[in-house]
Amino acid sequence: SQTIHQWPATLVQPVGSPLSLECTVEGTSNPNLYWYRQAAGRGLQLLFYSVGIGQISSEVPQNLSASRPQDRQFILSSKKLLLSDSGFYLCAWSRRGYNSPLHFGNGTRLTVT
Amino acid sequence: ILNVEQSPQSLHVQEGDSTNFTCSFPSSNFYALHWYRWETAKSPEALFVMTLNGDEKKKGRISATLNTKEGYSYLYIKGSQPEDSATYLCADSGGSQGNLIFGKGTKLSVKP
């Protein structure tokens, strides 16, 4: 069976500090990978998605970046966090195809102070 | 940017009531419509993926319908139970493989 691991679960970081959130998937090959964010009072916002190693599509211009160094590893990063980066970050995977459901990790609660 | 709208934003019902919510999406360039349930302290869980106009899917007391020509989907819950309390999200594929755009969700609270 497939599993998705996302860490850390919670994170408190000062403004201007770097960020690295990691997500790994097990039990499947060549998945689509996603990073979503839910800011306070808002819906799930797609940040990045990837259909393969080194292939990253960005949906929203911001100070975040994503990388996919391995098939089942997806990393969300920032060089300098802003207060507006606070939120709940979810990693997800899906099989190829627009009719494949997303499978989400447990999320990371990021608070930028 | 694809715009997916959900209504109502929140809903409070009594146990045993039946309820429904709406998801509207652009009808052009449609590929698939997803429904998810997001319970507090958990991650979103897929309920349905629908692709065909007129499609209807059912899982227990929950069902969904799809109208791709007019761009809407309904989610129905029959005989709501407290454990149905959650935020229900819909998402449209936006015409791009795997690129799901979510609505803001409908938050359902079922009182015993």
Side-chain angles (χ1 to χ4, degrees), chain A residues 55-96:
Chain A
Q55 300 178 61
I56 309 294
S57 296
S58 174
E59 291 298 308
V60 182
Q62 58 213 325
N63 69 319
L64 299 172
S65 62
S67 62
R68 185 171 178 173
Q70 300 180 45
D71 180 46
R72 288 169 284 179
Q73 184 184 28
F74 205 24
I75 298 171
L76 183 69
S77 304
S78 174
K79 292 181 179 179
K80 289 184 178 182
L81 284 169
L82 306 173
L83 285 174
S84 57
D85 291 325
S86 294
F88 190 64
Y89 289 80
L90 281 164
C91 180
W93 75 271
S94 74
R95 290 191 173 88
R96 297 304 172 90

Side-chain angles (χ1 to χ4, degrees), chain A residues 34 36 46 97-98 100 102 105, chain B residues 31 34 36 43 97-100:
Chain A
Y34 310 81
Y36 282 88
L46 179 63
Y98 49 81
S100 297
L102 297 186
Chain B
Y31 280 74
H34 297 224
Y36 292 82
S43 50
Q97 184 188 35
N99 180 1
L100 282 182

